[in-house]
Amino acid sequence: MIEQWWPSIACMENIFTMGEEAKAAAALEKVIERAMPLEDAFAKCSKGKDFFSAVTALGNLDTAFGSFLEWLRAIEMMTGVKLLDETKNPGLFGWAEEFGFNAAVKVVIPKWSDTIGYLDTAFGSFLEWLRAIEMMTGVKLLDETKNPGLFGWAEKFGFNAAVKVVIPKWR
């Protein structure tokens, strides 16, 4: 499901770079169309509850998909286009709302602030995943010599006081 839907977000580049309404509308429709299997999966898994786990607590799928929400919000903010729409995918829309209101999520998901921008938060939410992958595989994904700009940003982001409070270390 996600393997079909997430790459369709790449189609959103048309909204960023093209001034043509038709291309932007087509890109948006593709993203919404590919979100439908996720909508169906939510309906089946949740059994009418607030979360994919079909209980009142967050499950693994909630956590995994929830890690994408800040990316979606950043894209929505930059494009002015709603990717999770209350009328087209009400289950996912409601789930995202409930996920954001969950007390456990509020503690670990960074909120937009004056010191950290939308893209910082979106990209930053993946840093601990990258560090965990590096540790497990022994492969350096953020290398100071190969990508010094990104490496420097990641270091500064990690030392930001607001970030330290909300993003837990993976180990």
Side-chain angles (χ1 to χ4, degrees):
M1 293 173 294
I2 288 177
E3 73 274 3
Q4 293 176 351
W5 177 71
W6 186 249
S8 69
I9 298 291
C11 297
M12 297 303 289
E13 72 182 68
N14 290 322
I15 293 174
F16 289 115
T17 59
M18 306 290 180
E20 300 174 37
E21 301 264 333
K23 285 187 179 182
L28 179 60
E29 282 306 310
K30 191 171 200 171
V31 171
I32 292 171
E33 171 190 319
R34 289 193 174 169
M36 292 317 295
L38 286 172
E39 178 75 17
D40 294 341
F42 176 76
K44 289 176 188 170
C45 292
S46 69
K47 298 177 182 154
K49 304 280 188 194
D50 291 335
F51 300 110
F52 279 97
S53 62
V55 295
T56 57
L58 298 173
N60 291 336
L61 191 53
D62 296 300
T63 304
F65 189 53
S67 69
F68 287 100
L69 284 177
E70 291 305 310
W71 281 87
L72 293 180
R73 290 183 179 126
I75 292 169
E76 287 178 344
M77 188 64 162
M78 291 184 300
T79 63
V81 174
K82 284 289 189 196
L83 298 176
L84 291 181
D85 183 271
E86 193 170 10
T87 57
K88 294 187 179 179
N89 35 33
L92 288 176
F93 181 85
W95 167 83
E97 292 290 306
E98 288 300 319
F99 183 86
F101 291 137
N102 184 280
V105 170
K106 285 183 177 183
V107 173
V108 296
I109 299 287
K111 298 297 176 210
W112 308 123
S113 73
D114 294 334
T115 59
I116 301 170
Y118 295 110
L119 287 177
D120 292 316
T121 304
F123 290 128
S125 67
F126 284 98
L127 283 177
E128 289 305 309
W129 282 79
L130 289 177
R131 289 183 180 123
I133 292 168
E134 287 177 342
M135 188 70 155
M136 291 184 299
T137 64
V139 174
K140 208 67 167 131
L141 299 174
L142 287 179
D143 187 309
E144 189 171 15
T145 58
K146 293 181 182 172
N147 37 28
L150 188 57
F151 183 87
W153 166 82
E155 290 293 304
K156 288 177 188 170
F157 182 83
F159 286 117
N160 184 295
V163 170
K164 284 183 177 183
V165 173
V166 296
I167 296 186
K169 296 295 179 198
W170 68 272
R171 46 186 153 118

